[in-house]
Amino acid sequence: MGPLAGPLFAPAYSAKDCPSCAAWNAPHAPVRLHGNTYYVGTDGLTALLITSSAGHVLIDGGLPESAPLIARNIEALGFRLQDVKLILNSHDHYDHAGGIAELARVTGAGVAASPSSAATLRAGRPGPNDPQFARILPFPQVSRVREVADGDTLRVGPLAVVAYFTPGHTAGGTSFSWRSCEGARCLDMVYADSQTPISDDTFRFSGDSRYPTVREDFARGHAVLE
């Protein structure tokens, strides 16, 4: 890949549209969690970087305005943005997927998500089956998204990240697991997607035709994580 395609562009939501966004997007220094796994997100929104000599994997992109902060954190750790080869999405809300389009643009990385989340990433906003549909904000569209299946192993060089569907909070919610070693100490790392039943005023978790399997999905997601 050639030079990065221009400076990072970070549209921001207004304080009226998103009163919490400024606090969520406060800068946070990058942190090494274990071995080749690093926290590169903001003060209120997680993004994780998994590194290897053959390329890196980034999980989630925060808000649209989080993209420059995440990029700076990656570079502050001594890694090149163009070595990020794959960006994964846990769920398709503006505070987890908002920065993915811009991070994919500047890194040249591919993007992968569950089929439900992939459709939202392409559209730039969730569909009516999202429990928060009436109050969710749109975000920059991601033009090309690879769809992954439950249990798929996603590989970048020696890295192997397994996708586990854990829906409920959204229909496409996905958790991820991988192995991270620090010397002789290896740990199974887990990025657990949100399992909170949050909705707009019209949605009912007790039964809603827009997402009729939501209770069963929550039960399944909790069982997978347990």
Side-chain angles (χ1 to χ4, degrees):
M1 185 183 134
L4 297 184
L8 277 158
F9 175 65
Y13 299 115
S14 70
K16 180 181 178 181
D17 286 338
C18 184
S20 300
C21 279
W24 290 344
N25 203 52
H28 192 293
V31 179
R32 183 176 185 170
L33 300 178
H34 182 78
N36 62 339
T37 300
Y38 301 84
Y39 185 95
V40 293
T42 65
D43 200 51
L45 299 169
T46 295
L48 296 186
L49 183 72
I50 313 165
T51 66
S52 81
S53 59
H56 317 316
V57 175
L58 177 66
I59 304 178
D60 277 356
L63 297 160
E65 57 263 46
S66 303
L69 302 180
I70 293 170
R72 284 200 292 269
N73 279 345
I74 292 171
E75 292 181 320
L77 291 167
F79 300 112
R80 302 189 310 163
L81 292 178
Q82 54 263 51
D83 289 334
V84 177
K85 302 301 183 185
L86 178 64
I87 301 175
L88 303 176
N89 175 235
S90 62
H91 72 263
D92 51 359
H93 284 164
Y94 63 94
D95 54 342
H96 292 260
I100 288 179
E102 186 64 6
L103 289 164
R105 184 184 74 84
V106 298
T107 62
V111 177
S114 68
S116 178
S117 292
T120 298
L121 291 175
R122 297 184 194 109
R125 72 169 296 148
N129 68 330
D130 191 297
Q132 299 181 57
F133 176 71
R135 70 185 208 187
I136 210 74
L137 295 173
F139 55 85
Q141 296 170 277
V142 184
S143 58
R144 290 178 294 180
V145 187
R146 168 188 166 194
E147 296 184 4
V148 302
D150 188 17
D152 272 359
T153 299
L154 307 163
R155 299 184 184 276
V156 171
L159 302 178
V161 182
V162 182
Y164 296 94
F165 288 0
T166 50
H169 183 75
T170 68
T174 307
S175 298
F176 300 98
S177 181
W178 62 97
R179 192 83 162 156
S180 185
C181 296
E182 193 167 306
R185 185 170 182 249
C186 294
L187 299 177
D188 291 316
M189 311 293 286
V190 176
Y191 187 107
D193 186 37
S194 300
Q195 290 290 287
T196 48
I198 304 173
S199 71
D200 61 40
D201 291 339
T202 69
F203 188 87
R204 296 291 178 266
F205 287 100
S206 56
D208 198 300
S209 61
R210 292 167 292 182
Y211 188 177
T213 63
V214 65
R215 287 175 294 178
E216 292 83 359
D217 282 359
F218 262 124
R220 179 175 178 273
H222 280 285
V224 167
L225 292 173
E226 287 170 4

